[in-house]
Amino acid sequence: MLSRMQTLGNLFALLSLLCCVHADVVERFEDVPECVKYFYKEKVPEWGASAPGAARLCHRFSNRYHFATLYDTNHRIAVYAAYKFQPSNGGGREKRWFVEPQYLSRSDSQFKAEGVAALQLVDMSWQAEMKEGYWLGKDHPGVYQGERQALNEDYTHSGFDRGHLNPNGHHAVPSRNATFTLTNVVPQNPKLNQDAWRIHESRLADLFRDTCSEAFVLVGAVPSAGDWIVKNNVRRVNILEYLWNAYCCVDNNGVPVQSGGATARNTGANRVEQLSLDELGEFLQQFSNSPVGALFYNNCRA
């Protein structure tokens, strides 16, 4: 009798777990409450949403979500990452680089052969949490991990840093660790990454700690027209032309108290330009044939 009760208990526990697991790749951020919360008042930007190959990732680590990314599978860099600032609690720098398992299970040709949209279907038998590429390869030998996302080896000897969009220094552990997914990095000029952009991120952290009850942040990349990291004569990762970010700072009542944006050309010029949200929208409009729209609800106005 005890053995049967234990079996039933284990079954109920398993069913309970299965009912609460969410896919890492989602059709709409709005469909996942734990993921859409990273956007101010749950307003998801229109910017980049209609780009060919755009996919929506809810980054899962230690069995919970930590931030959201609109990922450009054609360029293998993010359109933007969305997160809420957290004061750092230390914890050092993650030494591993993760990939997204549910995002590499089958090839585009397999999806097309089955008559379904490649970016709306994932293999749910694969884990939802990000995992280090080495160990994922051990779990699934023979499966190529880099069909629709960048790999660690793409950056090796490329001359570019693995530049975080969502910076690890804007988080406490374990969200800090979760930023070390390769879908959250871009090929960044080393001088810019280690100097002007790093200083900009640090100043934002000071501002958020001193001024905001909550700070909602978007950090994005504008791809270049034709510059790529090339491996074995294959264009692997687009070398972005610009970095940009935007923030909406609110008080204890959720009322906006400050906002702003910034851009930086991805070169050794090592310069960050501060902008208002309106100015940032005008900047991004240069790279879009459709209206950019507000990056935050009501453009972060009270």
Side-chain angles (χ1 to χ4, degrees), residues 28-45 84 216 295-297:
R28 290 174 4 111
F29 289 126
E30 294 89 344
D31 294 337
V32 186
E34 301 92 337
C35 189
V36 76
K37 70 180 183 181
Y38 298 111
F39 301 89
Y40 175 54
K41 289 191 178 293
E42 301 186 358
K43 191 253 188 252
V44 177
K84 290 199 292 185
F216 296 83
L295 296 173
F296 299 106
Y297 173 82

Side-chain angles (χ1 to χ4, degrees), residues 9 21 36 45 49 87 90 116 126 132 178 196 205 217 220 240 246 261-263 271 279 282:
V21 171
V36 76
V116 295
W126 288 43
E132 186 179 8
V217 190
L240 66 153
T263 63
R271 181 172 176 267
E279 290 170 335
E282 292 172 3

